[in-house]
Amino acid sequence: MFIVQPHYHAISRTTQDYERMAAAGVVAVAEPAFWAGFDRLYPETFIDYFRQISEFEPTRAAQYGIRHFCWVAVNPKEAENPALSRAVLAKMPEFFEKPTVLGVGETGLHKSTRNEIEIFEAQVDLAVRHDQLLLVHTPHLADKLYGTKRILEVLKNFRLNPDKVWIDHVEEHTIRMVKEAGYWLGFTLYPITKCSPRRAVDMLERYGWERTLINSSADWGPSDPATLHDCIFDFRRRGHTLQEAIEVFHNNPVRYLGQNPKFDLPLIQVETREAGLLASP
Amino acid sequence: MLNPRQVMDTYYLDVRSMLLEIAATLDRHDAAAEGEAAAVARDDPRRQKIEQALRFLAAGGSRDDRTEQLLLHFSEEPVAT
């Protein structure tokens, strides 16, 4: 199995994650910029963080044969400080030139406050002006429904190519509105919150897997990169073929992320040397 | 996709386990509430949300949107400040 982990916060994980992911078939990860577990005070702290995920993390992942890519952004929680956020945004275009930076993300909303919306709009504008991919975080738990609706309203005000926009952390009550808007969408698998591996497979079966990305995420809180493999296991257990699993868990991330030519992994097609083997899932 | 029997064969024991966890949590909540605390515990909006959700699931019938309906049930609009 070849797997792309499209949303992975390596900065908050130990190297053991890379070892286990490599052993389980992960060939590439993409790391969005996110909250550090505390609110940062200085633009320079963000800049060093962007350097860490764009310069250092690729070397750590490479020790296990995993390609590491990243995104840069001010996350919604810290967007409550507009002056700080705008100082960081001013430096982001320098990072768009780095060889592993894929776009602007994760931006979006957390509590859907006025400040968050102002900085979200500024980052969407930045992505459009620099022709970058855009990764949008939707809020957690009780705030998700309202926040997702607000995000879609904000995006409507921009001349965006929906192919380049990924709305992440959708669940059963937000999936249809994101699909109807034409964006890529993501399921994020957690032990307790967001989506479970089985519910993700339910949604794949119900809504199809076009324009859909699945990630375990992995951050400071209770989270587990292996939930992605639990999802693949359940997908296969329900009778879906190996090629179908590769379409969902490898080729779809390649299709979306590969719109940035820096993400240069190939699409994979399973072939067998003996006739008949493909009939068995 | 699995057929109906395969769904039960595959997930029945997991569902049983999850239902027992719910039962045990409600027992734990009740056991922790004594005297005046019992009324406060009963009025906890989270307990009420859980019991409303359980009543919804217990209603039976054939439908395929229970997960979506529960997520809507647990959703909130932001409070204006």
Coordinates of all heavy atoms in Angstrom, one line a residue, chain A residues 121-170:
Chain A
E121 N -9.9 36.4 5.3 CA -10.0 37.0 4.0 C -8.7 37.5 3.5 O -8.4 37.4 2.3 CB -11.0 38.2 4.1 CG -12.4 37.9 4.4 CD -13.3 39.0 4.6 OE1 -12.8 40.0 5.2 OE2 -14.5 39.0 4.3
A122 N -7.8 38.0 4.3 CA -6.5 38.5 3.9 C -5.6 37.3 3.4 O -4.9 37.5 2.4 CB -5.8 39.2 5.1
Q123 N -5.8 36.2 4.0 CA -5.0 35.0 3.5 C -5.6 34.4 2.2 O -4.8 33.9 1.4 CB -4.9 34.0 4.6 CG -4.1 34.5 5.8 CD -3.7 33.5 6.8 OE1 -2.7 32.8 6.7 NE2 -4.6 33.4 7.9
V124 N -6.9 34.4 2.1 CA -7.5 34.0 0.8 C -7.0 34.9 -0.3 O -6.5 34.5 -1.4 CB -9.0 34.0 0.9 CG1 -9.6 33.6 -0.5 CG2 -9.5 33.0 1.9
D125 N -7.0 36.2 0.0 CA -6.5 37.2 -1.0 C -5.0 36.9 -1.4 O -4.7 37.0 -2.6 CB -6.7 38.6 -0.5 CG -6.2 39.6 -1.4 OD1 -6.8 39.8 -2.5 OD2 -5.2 40.4 -1.1
L126 N -4.3 36.6 -0.4 CA -2.8 36.3 -0.6 C -2.7 35.1 -1.5 O -1.8 35.1 -2.4 CB -2.1 36.1 0.8 CG -0.6 36.1 0.8 CD1 0.0 37.4 0.4 CD2 -0.2 35.7 2.2
A127 N -3.4 34.1 -1.2 CA -3.3 32.9 -2.0 C -3.7 33.1 -3.5 O -3.1 32.6 -4.4 CB -4.2 31.8 -1.4
V128 N -4.8 33.9 -3.7 CA -5.2 34.2 -5.0 C -4.2 35.0 -5.8 O -3.8 34.7 -6.9 CB -6.6 35.0 -5.0 CG1 -6.9 35.5 -6.4 CG2 -7.7 34.1 -4.4
R129 N -3.6 36.1 -5.1 CA -2.6 36.9 -5.8 C -1.4 36.2 -6.1 O -0.7 36.5 -7.1 CB -2.3 38.1 -4.9 CG -3.4 39.2 -4.9 CD -3.0 40.5 -4.3 NE -3.0 40.4 -2.8 CZ -1.8 40.5 -2.1 NH1 -0.7 40.6 -2.7 NH2 -1.9 40.4 -0.8
H130 N -1.0 35.2 -5.3 CA 0.2 34.4 -5.6 C 0.0 33.1 -6.2 O 0.9 32.2 -6.3 CB 1.0 34.3 -4.3 CG 1.6 35.6 -3.8 ND1 2.8 36.0 -4.1 CD2 1.0 36.5 -3.0 CE1 3.1 37.2 -3.5 NE2 2.0 37.5 -2.9
D131 N -1.3 32.8 -6.6 CA -1.7 31.6 -7.3 C -1.2 30.3 -6.5 O -0.6 29.4 -7.0 CB -1.0 31.5 -8.7 CG -1.7 30.4 -9.6 OD1 -2.8 30.1 -9.3 OD2 -1.0 29.9 -10.5
Q132 N -1.6 30.3 -5.2 CA -1.2 29.3 -4.3 C -2.4 28.4 -4.0 O -3.6 28.8 -4.1 CB -0.7 29.8 -3.0 CG 0.5 30.6 -3.1 CD 1.7 29.7 -3.4 OE1 2.0 28.8 -2.7 NE2 2.4 30.1 -4.5
L133 N -2.2 27.1 -3.7 CA -3.2 26.3 -3.1 C -3.7 26.8 -1.8 O -2.9 27.5 -1.1 CB -2.7 24.8 -2.9 CG -2.3 24.0 -4.2 CD1 -1.7 22.7 -3.8 CD2 -3.5 23.8 -5.1
L134 N -4.9 26.5 -1.4 CA -5.5 27.1 -0.2 C -6.1 26.0 0.6 O -7.0 25.3 0.2 CB -6.6 28.1 -0.6 CG -7.3 28.8 0.6 CD1 -6.3 29.7 1.3 CD2 -8.5 29.6 0.0
L135 N -5.6 25.8 1.9 CA -6.2 24.8 2.8 C -6.9 25.5 3.9 O -6.3 26.4 4.6 CB -5.0 24.0 3.4 CG -5.3 23.1 4.6 CD1 -6.5 22.2 4.4 CD2 -4.0 22.3 4.9
V136 N -8.2 25.2 4.0 CA -9.1 25.9 5.0 C -9.5 25.0 6.1 O -10.2 24.0 5.9 CB -10.3 26.5 4.2 CG1 -11.2 27.3 5.2 CG2 -9.9 27.3 3.0
H137 N -9.2 25.4 7.3 CA -9.6 24.7 8.5 C -11.0 25.1 8.9 O -11.4 26.3 8.9 CB -8.7 25.1 9.7 CG -9.1 24.8 11.0 ND1 -8.7 23.6 11.7 CD2 -9.9 25.4 11.9 CE1 -9.3 23.6 12.9 NE2 -10.0 24.7 13.1
T138 N -11.9 24.1 9.2 CA -13.2 24.4 9.7 C -13.3 24.2 11.2 O -12.5 23.3 11.7 CB -14.3 23.6 9.0 OG1 -14.1 22.2 9.2 CG2 -14.4 23.9 7.5
P139 N -14.1 24.9 11.9 CA -14.1 24.8 13.4 C -14.4 23.5 14.0 O -14.9 22.6 13.3 CB -15.1 25.8 13.8 CG -15.3 26.7 12.7 CD -15.1 25.9 11.4
H140 N -14.1 23.4 15.3 CA -14.3 22.1 16.0 C -15.8 22.0 16.5 O -16.4 23.0 16.8 CB -13.4 22.0 17.1 CG -11.9 22.1 16.7 ND1 -11.2 21.0 16.2 CD2 -11.1 23.1 16.7 CE1 -10.0 21.4 16.0 NE2 -9.9 22.7 16.3
L141 N -16.2 20.8 16.7 CA -17.4 20.4 17.6 C -18.6 21.3 17.3 O -19.0 21.4 16.1 CB -16.9 20.5 19.0 CG -15.8 19.5 19.4 CD1 -15.3 19.8 20.8 CD2 -16.3 18.1 19.3
A142 N -19.1 21.9 18.3 CA -20.4 22.7 18.2 C -20.3 23.9 17.3 O -21.3 24.4 16.8 CB -20.9 23.1 19.6
D143 N -19.1 24.4 17.0 CA -18.9 25.6 16.2 C -18.7 25.2 14.7 O -18.7 26.1 13.9 CB -17.6 26.3 16.7 CG -17.6 26.7 18.1 OD1 -18.7 27.2 18.5 OD2 -16.6 26.5 18.8
K144 N -18.7 24.0 14.4 CA -18.4 23.6 13.0 C -19.4 24.0 12.0 O -19.1 24.6 10.9 CB -18.1 22.1 12.9 CG -17.7 21.7 11.5 CD -17.4 20.2 11.3 CE -16.3 19.8 12.2 NZ -15.0 20.4 11.7
L145 N -20.7 23.8 12.3 CA -21.7 24.1 11.3 C -21.8 25.5 11.0 O -21.7 25.9 9.8 CB -23.1 23.6 11.9 CG -24.3 23.8 11.0 CD1 -24.2 22.9 9.7 CD2 -25.6 23.5 11.7
Y146 N -21.9 26.4 12.0 CA -21.9 27.8 11.7 C -20.6 28.3 11.0 O -20.7 29.0 10.0 CB -22.1 28.6 13.0 CG -22.1 30.1 12.8 CD1 -23.3 30.8 12.4 CD2 -20.9 30.9 13.1 CE1 -23.3 32.1 12.2 CE2 -20.9 32.2 12.9 CZ -22.1 32.9 12.5 OH -22.1 34.2 12.3
G147 N -19.5 27.8 11.5 CA -18.2 28.3 10.9 C -18.0 27.9 9.5 O -17.5 28.6 8.7
T148 N -18.5 26.7 9.2 CA -18.3 26.2 7.8 C -19.2 27.0 6.8 O -18.8 27.4 5.7 CB -18.7 24.7 7.7 OG1 -17.9 24.0 8.6 CG2 -18.5 24.2 6.3
K149 N -20.4 27.4 7.3 CA -21.3 28.2 6.5 C -20.6 29.6 6.3 O -20.6 30.1 5.2 CB -22.6 28.4 7.2 CG -23.5 27.2 7.2 CD -24.8 27.5 7.9 CE -25.7 26.3 8.0 NZ -26.8 26.5 8.9
R150 N -20.0 30.2 7.3 CA -19.4 31.5 7.2 C -18.2 31.4 6.2 O -18.0 32.3 5.4 CB -18.9 32.0 8.6 CG -20.0 32.5 9.5 CD -20.7 33.7 9.0 NE -19.8 34.9 9.0 CZ -19.6 35.7 7.9 NH1 -20.1 35.4 6.7 NH2 -18.8 36.7 8.0
I151 N -17.4 30.3 6.3 CA -16.3 30.1 5.4 C -16.7 30.1 4.0 O -16.1 30.8 3.1 CB -15.5 28.8 5.8 CG1 -14.7 29.1 7.0 CG2 -14.6 28.4 4.6 CD1 -14.2 27.8 7.7
L152 N -17.8 29.4 3.7 CA -18.3 29.3 2.3 C -18.8 30.7 1.8 O -18.6 31.0 0.7 CB -19.3 28.2 2.2 CG -18.9 26.8 2.5 CD1 -20.0 25.8 2.3 CD2 -17.7 26.4 1.5
E153 N -19.4 31.4 2.7 CA -19.8 32.8 2.4 C -18.6 33.7 2.1 O -18.6 34.4 1.1 CB -20.6 33.4 3.5 CG -22.0 32.8 3.7 CD -22.7 33.2 5.0 OE1 -22.0 34.0 5.8 OE2 -23.8 32.7 5.3
V154 N -17.6 33.6 2.9 CA -16.4 34.4 2.6 C -15.8 34.0 1.3 O -15.4 34.9 0.5 CB -15.3 34.2 3.8 CG1 -14.0 34.8 3.4 CG2 -15.9 34.9 5.0
L155 N -15.6 32.7 1.0 CA -15.0 32.3 -0.2 C -15.7 32.7 -1.5 O -15.1 33.0 -2.5 CB -14.8 30.8 -0.2 CG -13.8 30.2 0.8 CD1 -13.8 28.7 0.8 CD2 -12.4 30.8 0.6
K156 N -17.1 32.8 -1.4 CA -17.9 33.3 -2.5 C -17.5 34.7 -3.0 O -17.7 35.0 -4.1 CB -19.3 33.3 -2.1 CG -20.1 32.1 -2.4 CD -21.6 32.4 -2.1 CE -22.4 31.1 -2.1 NZ -23.8 31.3 -1.6
N157 N -16.9 35.5 -2.1 CA -16.5 36.8 -2.5 C -15.2 37.0 -3.2 O -14.8 38.1 -3.6 CB -16.5 37.7 -1.2 CG -17.8 37.8 -0.5 OD1 -18.8 37.8 -1.2 ND2 -17.8 37.9 0.8
F158 N -14.6 35.8 -3.5 CA -13.3 35.8 -4.2 C -13.4 35.1 -5.5 O -14.2 34.2 -5.7 CB -12.2 35.2 -3.3 CG -11.8 36.0 -2.1 CD1 -12.5 35.8 -0.9 CD2 -10.8 36.8 -2.2 CE1 -12.1 36.6 0.2 CE2 -10.4 37.6 -1.1 CZ -11.1 37.5 0.1
R159 N -12.6 35.6 -6.5 CA -12.5 34.8 -7.8 C -11.6 33.7 -7.6 O -10.4 33.8 -7.9 CB -12.1 35.8 -8.9 CG -13.1 36.8 -9.2 CD -12.5 37.8 -10.2 NE -12.2 37.2 -11.5 CZ -12.9 37.1 -12.5 NH1 -14.2 37.6 -12.5 NH2 -12.5 36.5 -13.6
L160 N -12.1 32.6 -7.1 CA -11.2 31.4 -6.8 C -11.4 30.3 -7.8 O -12.6 30.1 -8.3 CB -11.6 30.9 -5.4 CG -11.1 31.6 -4.2 CD1 -11.9 31.1 -3.0 CD2 -9.6 31.3 -4.0
N161 N -10.4 29.6 -8.1 CA -10.5 28.3 -8.8 C -10.8 27.2 -7.7 O -10.0 26.9 -6.9 CB -9.2 28.0 -9.5 CG -9.3 26.6 -10.2 OD1 -10.3 25.9 -10.1 ND2 -8.3 26.3 -11.0
P162 N -12.1 26.7 -7.7 CA -12.4 25.7 -6.6 C -11.5 24.5 -6.6 O -11.3 23.8 -5.6 CB -13.9 25.3 -6.9 CG -14.1 25.8 -8.3 CD -13.2 26.9 -8.6
D163 N -10.9 24.2 -7.8 CA -9.9 23.0 -7.8 C -8.8 23.2 -6.8 O -8.2 22.2 -6.4 CB -9.3 22.9 -9.2 CG -10.3 22.5 -10.2 OD1 -11.4 22.1 -9.9 OD2 -10.0 22.6 -11.4
K164 N -8.5 24.5 -6.5 CA -7.3 24.7 -5.7 C -7.6 24.9 -4.2 O -6.7 25.1 -3.4 CB -6.6 26.0 -6.2 CG -6.1 25.9 -7.6 CD -5.0 26.9 -7.8 CE -4.1 26.4 -9.0 NZ -2.9 27.2 -9.2
V165 N -8.9 24.7 -3.8 CA -9.3 25.0 -2.5 C -9.7 23.7 -1.8 O -10.5 22.9 -2.3 CB -10.5 26.0 -2.4 CG1 -10.9 26.2 -1.0 CG2 -10.1 27.3 -3.1
W166 N -9.1 23.4 -0.6 CA -9.4 22.2 0.2 C -10.0 22.7 1.5 O -9.4 23.4 2.3 CB -8.1 21.5 0.4 CG -8.0 20.4 1.4 CD1 -9.1 19.9 2.1 CD2 -6.8 19.8 2.0 NE1 -8.6 18.9 3.1 CE2 -7.2 18.9 3.0 CE3 -5.5 20.0 1.7 CZ2 -6.3 18.2 3.7 CZ3 -4.6 19.2 2.4 CH2 -5.0 18.3 3.4
I167 N -11.3 22.3 1.7 CA -12.0 22.6 3.0 C -11.8 21.3 3.9 O -12.4 20.3 3.5 CB -13.5 22.9 2.7 CG1 -13.7 23.9 1.6 CG2 -14.1 23.3 4.0 CD1 -13.3 25.3 1.9
D168 N -11.2 21.5 5.0 CA -10.8 20.3 5.8 C -11.7 20.1 7.0 O -12.5 21.1 7.4 CB -9.4 20.4 6.2 CG -8.8 19.0 6.4 OD1 -9.4 18.0 6.1 OD2 -7.6 18.9 6.9
H169 N -11.7 18.9 7.6 CA -12.4 18.6 8.8 C -14.0 18.6 8.6 O -14.7 18.9 9.5 CB -12.1 19.5 10.0 CG -10.7 19.9 10.1 ND1 -9.6 19.0 9.9 CD2 -10.1 21.1 10.4 CE1 -8.5 19.7 10.1 NE2 -8.8 20.9 10.4
V170 N -14.4 18.2 7.4 CA -15.9 18.1 7.2 C -16.4 16.9 7.8 O -15.7 15.9 8.0 CB -16.3 18.1 5.7 CG1 -15.7 19.3 4.9 CG2 -16.0 16.8 5.0

